[in-house]
Amino acid sequence: MKAVVLAGGFATRLRPLSCTRPKLLFPIGNKPLLDWTLEKLAKNNVKKVILAVNYMADTLIQHYGKSKHEMKLAYSIEEKPLGTGGAIKNAEKLINDQKPFLVINGDIFTNFDYTKLLKKHKKNDAIATIALYHVEDPSRYGTVKLTEKNRVTQFIEKPTCGEAPSNLVNAGMYILDPQIFDYIPNGQPVSIERETFPKLADEKKIYGHNFEDLWIDIGTPRDYLRVNQLLLDTKIKKSQIGKNSIVENGVEIKDPTIIDEEVTVGKKSKIGPHVAIGKHVIIRKKTHIENSVIFPQTTISDSTSIKGTIIGEGVIVGSHVKIKEDCIIGDHTIIQDNVTLTQGVTVCPFRKVSESVLTPKCLM
Ligand code: GDD
Ligand code: MG
């Protein structure tokens, strides 16, 4: 089977975090999100992956090259974002197959078995078979109405209050028949969710497949931390400390925590639970970090406390700093000594913060 990974969108809520890597390269347990996805695709017998890219395309190409896990990798590049449908149409020549293919949203973390979707697809006379997941609040997603035989009769993207036909949402994983290309105009932005799926629903050509495994769309900082937490709970469990890392006397590391290579953790610091620390990070003494992700090459001085926060690359955090939950600290930021950042503060890359911020806001 061939697969298209939609990897091109602009990560709005998480965008301030990094100016050097797209969301798909954000680390989950110190490994990029896309690595987890590619590993799963290989296990699901996918032989060729087409990455549909625009935003930071060069970074992705440089990072992955031409193959991974014995799968061929190809890049379908959009000069301008063509939307989720336009990106699939743009990849038509690279797919070049008469067989159904898999399409996935790149920002999904899941343990769903894609082969189940293909089996379902083959049972119906469908152009699209989409994976569906039950959520409490469907407003952030595409929602569907189904017949008893799981045919989608209605597809509403981002329903407004009271408009959602059910709590079953599009999980961003599809098997598409090559006939789909006749439904998407060439060379222009098209949303598969707003334009193509509703048309297929009218023509009785789209089916759903419910599943209940782990599934998270990494759309917000909280989603990202939840994925980090889940991964550490399920795959790491016991804390891991990478090669050449130094953990000084009196440090307490609470499971599960993952520390990458060449990291230093200073005396009497408390790290964990649910902390992921990237390469070459330096944490000085008596600092407390929990439920957070720290990107590589960041330095955190002594007696600082960080909770429920994502810290980008090459950041410098001073001493006696307090960073509360739901903060995003962008790449190469400097947070000076004694600063307190209250819950929900976002600091954009390269900012210098010398005074406390006591109301949630974004520092541009
Ligand atoms: N190549 C390319 N070009 N990729 C794109 C483009 C584009 O113009 N626009 C978005 N993408 C990619 C994003 O990178 C992401 O991986 C995926 O398509 C979905 O885009 P998001 O921006 O994350 O959409 P969403 O999360 O609001 O909604 C989508 O996902 C939900 C499930 O997670 C929709 O498919 C919803 O219907 C769905 O419920
Ligand atoms: Mg998304």
Side-chain angles (χ1 to χ4, degrees):
M1 183 165 56
K2 290 180 184 169
V4 177
V5 178
L6 297 175
F10 222 37
T12 37
R13 301 275 302 273
L14 283 156
R15 197 187 319 159
L17 186 57
S18 182
C19 45
T20 53
R21 56 181 104 197
K23 185 162 71 168
L24 271 60
L25 292 185
F26 284 6
I28 313 280
N30 288 341
K31 193 159 98 175
L33 167 62
L34 188 53
D35 280 28
W36 293 102
T37 308
L38 292 174
E39 202 175 295
K40 234 171 78 58
L41 288 170
K43 279 188 191 149
N44 281 230
N45 212 20
V46 168
K47 304 288 180 214
K48 180 175 179 183
V49 179
I50 295 138
L51 293 165
V53 288
N54 56 73
Y55 177 63
M56 289 197 185
D58 295 346
T59 314
L60 280 168
I61 296 170
Q62 230 176 358
H63 193 99
Y64 288 101
K66 290 187 178 155
S67 73
K68 180 94 182 173
H69 305 304
E70 293 174 16
M71 299 182 297
K72 278 191 191 149
L73 299 186
Y75 299 87
S76 174
I77 300 167
E78 298 150 53
E79 294 303 324
K80 280 190 192 146
L82 289 172
T84 46
I88 297 168
K89 179 75 179 171
N90 196 49
E92 182 174 2
K93 284 206 183 89
L94 289 171
I95 298 166
N96 187 26
D97 207 340
Q98 298 310 310
K99 291 191 201 125
F101 56 94
L102 174 71
V103 173
I104 55 177
N105 286 351
D107 61 344
I108 302 293
F109 190 80
T110 182
N111 56 9
F112 176 63
D113 176 355
Y114 307 125
T115 57
K116 285 187 185 159
L117 204 57
L118 184 62
K119 276 188 199 138
K120 263 282 164 61
H121 184 78
K122 287 180 175 164
K123 284 191 182 153
N124 298 308
D125 175 29
I127 293 182
T129 303
I130 67 177
L132 299 171
Y133 195 74
H134 186 276
V135 297
E136 285 310 311
D137 173 15
S139 61
R140 274 174 57 188
Y141 306 101
T143 53
V144 299
K145 193 172 169 183
L146 287 181
T147 65
E148 270 176 19
K149 289 195 167 159
N150 272 4
R151 185 166 61 74
V152 176
T153 56
Q154 206 181 7
F155 189 106
I156 304 181
E157 181 65 14
K158 312 269 185 307
T160 52
C161 192
E163 201 189 8
S166 74
N167 286 54
L168 273 182
V169 303
N170 166 26
M173 305 184 282
Y174 325 122
I175 297 287
L176 301 178
D177 190 89
Q179 287 176 67
I180 195 77
F181 296 123
D182 301 336
Y183 285 77
I184 310 173
N186 204 5
Q188 65 190 69
V190 179
S191 157
I192 199 162
E193 300 88 348
R194 293 180 195 275
E195 296 167 62
T196 322
F197 288 162
K199 205 186 262 175
L200 292 176
D202 289 346
E203 294 185 15
K204 305 188 175 160
K205 290 288 186 191
I206 175 167
Y207 282 75
H209 168 74
N210 304 6
F211 73 102
E212 286 176 358
D213 307 289
L214 161 71
W215 178 86
I216 300 175
D217 166 345
I218 309 182
T220 66
R222 271 207 187 173
D223 296 328
Y224 181 37
L225 287 178
R226 198 154 65 91
V227 168
N228 178 59
Q229 193 170 341
L230 266 165
L231 183 99
L232 292 176
D233 279 337
T234 54
K235 298 230 163 128
I236 306 294
K237 293 177 192 156
K238 285 271 304 147
S239 296
Q240 291 179 6
I241 297 171
K243 251 195 327 195
N244 300 330
S245 283
I246 301 165
V247 174
E248 293 181 351
N249 291 342
V251 169
E252 197 183 323
I253 294 183
K254 293 186 193 161
D255 292 332
T257 280
I258 183 164
I259 296 178
D260 210 328
E261 295 171 10
E262 311 205 17
V263 169
T264 304
V265 184
K267 279 179 197 162
K268 294 188 184 168
S269 282
K270 287 187 185 161
I271 313 291
H274 303 121
V275 173
I277 298 178
K279 267 188 195 165
H280 301 120
V281 166
I282 299 171
I283 296 165
R284 305 218 189 273
K285 61 181 195 293
K286 292 186 186 168
T287 276
H288 293 191
I289 306 177
E290 57 183 70
N291 189 29
S292 296
V293 178
I294 320 282
F295 283 31
Q297 269 128 13
T298 279
T299 298
I300 300 166
S301 285
D302 47 75
S303 307
T304 277
S305 135
I306 295 170
K307 280 186 186 166
T309 279
I310 311 162
I311 300 196
E313 191 165 322
V315 172
I316 298 174
V317 182
S319 57
H320 299 275
V321 167
K322 283 195 181 70
I323 304 180
K324 302 203 175 150
E325 282 90 355
D326 298 328
C327 289
I328 299 180
I329 313 297
D331 287 352
H332 308 290
T333 300
I334 299 174
I335 314 282
Q336 291 196 322
D337 295 349
N338 302 310
V339 160
T340 294
L341 300 181
T342 195
Q343 189 169 353
V345 174
T346 295
V347 184
C348 288
F350 296 102
R351 270 289 310 239
K352 186 171 176 182
V353 184
S354 41
E355 281 175 13
S356 294
V357 182
L358 301 175
T359 50
K361 63 169 130 173
C362 179
L363 306 180
M364 303 287 277

